[in-house]
Amino acid sequence: HELIEGDELRAKGYGLLWATGKCAVSPPCLLVLTHKGSEASRKGVALVGKGITFDTGGAALKSRDGMIGMKRDMGGAAGMFGAFLALAKSGGLPSGRPL
């Protein structure tokens, strides 16, 4: 796995992710998980899920009441992590392609 956190996000080209969370108490981060797959396959499959613990607001498109549920908006990341974990524990994709 690779954890890209804080100012390293900006240095590696993830400037928007860095800018969105730079003022948060905990620095923004990106977690990259990989599964090698079989030796025969070189093309990979990407699973992507976003998880945030607080919506920073941006243009404030939601009302105050609408923001309450956003504090736990981690469903995308949780779903992708669950799928990744299940595939890794079962030996990967049936095709042998890496994740």
Side-chain angles (χ1 to χ4, degrees):
H1 77 277
E2 178 184 11
L3 178 64
I4 306 169
E5 188 174 27
D7 291 336
E8 185 182 5
L9 285 166
R10 184 171 59 169
K12 288 193 170 189
Y14 299 101
L16 187 56
L17 181 59
W18 170 82
T20 301
K22 70 180 179 178
C23 294
V25 173
S26 299
C29 67
L30 175 65
L31 179 61
V32 180
L33 302 172
T34 56
H35 183 271
K36 299 256 185 221
S38 70
E39 293 291 325
S41 183
R42 293 182 184 233
K43 286 190 174 183
V45 174
L47 303 175
V48 180
K50 176 190 82 162
I52 57 174
T53 54
F54 183 76
D55 189 343
T56 56
L61 299 175
K62 294 179 181 65
S63 66
R64 182 171 53 163
D65 292 336
M67 292 292 286
I68 293 171
M70 294 300 293
K71 292 182 180 182
R72 295 174 301 279
D73 182 16
M74 47 66 84
M80 288 305 101
F81 180 72
F84 179 88
L85 187 60
L87 286 167
K89 284 185 173 185
S90 69
L93 293 169
S95 66
R97 291 173 68 179
L99 295 172

